[in-house]
mmCIF file of all heavy atoms in Angstrom:
data_model
loop_
_atom_site.group_PDB
_atom_site.id
_atom_site.type_symbol
_atom_site.label_atom_id
_atom_site.label_comp_id
_atom_site.label_asym_id
_atom_site.label_seq_id
_atom_site.Cartn_x
_atom_site.Cartn_y
_atom_site.Cartn_z
ATOM 1 N N MET A 21 -66.297 -30.230 123.821
ATOM 2 C CA MET A 21 -65.124 -31.075 124.022
ATOM 3 C C MET A 21 -64.310 -31.158 122.738
ATOM 4 O O MET A 21 -63.093 -31.167 122.766
ATOM 5 C CB MET A 21 -65.559 -32.475 124.477
ATOM 6 C CG MET A 21 -64.380 -33.404 124.758
ATOM 7 S SD MET A 21 -64.933 -35.003 125.336
ATOM 8 C CE MET A 21 -65.757 -35.606 123.874
ATOM 9 N N ASP A 22 -65.037 -31.238 121.635
ATOM 10 C CA ASP A 22 -64.315 -31.300 120.354
ATOM 11 C C ASP A 22 -63.528 -30.031 120.120
ATOM 12 O O ASP A 22 -62.425 -30.047 119.584
ATOM 13 C CB ASP A 22 -65.312 -31.516 119.216
ATOM 14 C CG ASP A 22 -65.921 -32.897 119.276
ATOM 15 O OD1 ASP A 22 -65.298 -33.774 119.908
ATOM 16 O OD2 ASP A 22 -67.013 -33.099 118.690
ATOM 17 N N GLN A 23 -64.084 -28.876 120.516
ATOM 18 C CA GLN A 23 -63.354 -27.617 120.348
ATOM 19 C C GLN A 23 -62.109 -27.612 121.205
ATOM 20 O O GLN A 23 -61.050 -27.136 120.795
ATOM 21 C CB GLN A 23 -64.265 -26.444 120.719
ATOM 22 C CG GLN A 23 -65.407 -26.257 119.727
ATOM 23 C CD GLN A 23 -66.296 -25.083 120.121
ATOM 24 O OE1 GLN A 23 -66.155 -24.532 121.222
ATOM 25 N NE2 GLN A 23 -67.223 -24.705 119.232
ATOM 26 N N GLU A 24 -62.170 -28.140 122.417
ATOM 27 C CA GLU A 24 -60.988 -28.187 123.281
ATOM 28 C C GLU A 24 -59.938 -29.122 122.710
ATOM 29 O O GLU A 24 -58.735 -28.881 122.779
ATOM 30 C CB GLU A 24 -61.413 -28.660 124.682
ATOM 31 C CG GLU A 24 -62.361 -27.702 125.373
ATOM 32 C CD GLU A 24 -61.747 -27.141 126.637
ATOM 33 O OE1 GLU A 24 -60.642 -27.582 126.979
ATOM 34 O OE2 GLU A 24 -62.359 -26.268 127.281
ATOM 35 N N LEU A 25 -60.363 -30.216 122.101
ATOM 36 C CA LEU A 25 -59.409 -31.150 121.480
ATOM 37 C C LEU A 25 -58.695 -30.492 120.318
ATOM 38 O O LEU A 25 -57.473 -30.600 120.178
ATOM 39 C CB LEU A 25 -60.161 -32.403 121.023
ATOM 40 C CG LEU A 25 -59.312 -33.426 120.260
ATOM 41 C CD1 LEU A 25 -58.156 -33.899 121.131
ATOM 42 C CD2 LEU A 25 -60.186 -34.584 119.811
ATOM 43 N N GLU A 26 -59.467 -29.791 119.466
ATOM 44 C CA GLU A 26 -58.835 -29.103 118.322
ATOM 45 C C GLU A 26 -57.859 -28.038 118.797
ATOM 46 O O GLU A 26 -56.781 -27.869 118.249
ATOM 47 C CB GLU A 26 -59.927 -28.463 117.450
ATOM 48 C CG GLU A 26 -60.788 -29.494 116.747
ATOM 49 C CD GLU A 26 -61.908 -28.820 115.982
ATOM 50 O OE1 GLU A 26 -62.020 -27.577 116.075
ATOM 51 O OE2 GLU A 26 -62.672 -29.533 115.298
ATOM 52 N N VAL A 38 -61.172 -30.084 131.704
ATOM 53 C CA VAL A 38 -62.197 -29.876 130.698
ATOM 54 C C VAL A 38 -63.500 -29.577 131.425
ATOM 55 O O VAL A 38 -63.729 -30.047 132.535
ATOM 56 C CB VAL A 38 -62.340 -31.129 129.806
ATOM 57 C CG1 VAL A 38 -62.835 -32.308 130.597
ATOM 58 C CG2 VAL A 38 -63.283 -30.817 128.642
ATOM 59 N N SER A 39 -64.303 -28.751 130.815
ATOM 60 C CA SER A 39 -65.613 -28.399 131.409
ATOM 61 C C SER A 39 -66.688 -29.238 130.752
ATOM 62 O O SER A 39 -66.700 -29.376 129.514
ATOM 63 C CB SER A 39 -65.906 -26.911 131.198
ATOM 64 O OG SER A 39 -64.935 -26.135 131.862
ATOM 65 N N LEU A 58 -66.544 -38.242 134.391
ATOM 66 C CA LEU A 58 -66.563 -37.916 132.948
ATOM 67 C C LEU A 58 -65.409 -36.991 132.580
ATOM 68 O O LEU A 58 -64.756 -37.149 131.534
ATOM 69 C CB LEU A 58 -67.911 -37.284 132.601
ATOM 70 C CG LEU A 58 -68.073 -36.871 131.116
ATOM 71 C CD1 LEU A 58 -67.924 -38.090 130.211
ATOM 72 C CD2 LEU A 58 -69.449 -36.198 130.903
ATOM 73 N N VAL A 62 -62.466 -37.799 129.864
ATOM 74 C CA VAL A 62 -62.247 -36.913 128.699
ATOM 75 C C VAL A 62 -60.804 -36.451 128.644
ATOM 76 O O VAL A 62 -60.154 -36.439 127.594
ATOM 77 C CB VAL A 62 -63.211 -35.717 128.749
ATOM 78 C CG1 VAL A 62 -62.818 -34.685 127.716
ATOM 79 C CG2 VAL A 62 -64.639 -36.184 128.523
ATOM 80 N N VAL A 66 -58.237 -37.209 125.654
ATOM 81 C CA VAL A 66 -57.614 -36.142 124.853
ATOM 82 C C VAL A 66 -56.106 -36.251 124.898
ATOM 83 O O VAL A 66 -55.416 -36.172 123.889
ATOM 84 C CB VAL A 66 -58.082 -34.770 125.346
ATOM 85 C CG1 VAL A 66 -57.262 -33.670 124.689
ATOM 86 C CG2 VAL A 66 -59.555 -34.582 125.049
ATOM 87 N N ARG A 69 -54.894 -39.156 122.825
ATOM 88 C CA ARG A 69 -54.954 -38.862 121.392
ATOM 89 C C ARG A 69 -53.869 -37.868 120.996
ATOM 90 O O ARG A 69 -53.277 -37.967 119.921
ATOM 91 C CB ARG A 69 -56.354 -38.333 121.046
ATOM 92 C CG ARG A 69 -57.448 -39.381 121.196
ATOM 93 C CD ARG A 69 -58.837 -38.792 121.028
ATOM 94 N NE ARG A 69 -59.010 -38.245 119.696
ATOM 95 C CZ ARG A 69 -60.085 -37.580 119.300
ATOM 96 N NH1 ARG A 69 -61.084 -37.377 120.159
ATOM 97 N NH2 ARG A 69 -60.169 -37.122 118.083
#
Side-chain angles (χ1 to χ4, degrees):
M21 182 178 66
D22 291 339
Q23 292 180 350
E24 296 243 355
L25 176 59
E26 292 176 357
V38 65
S39 297
L58 179 60
V62 169
V66 170
R69 293 172 62 185

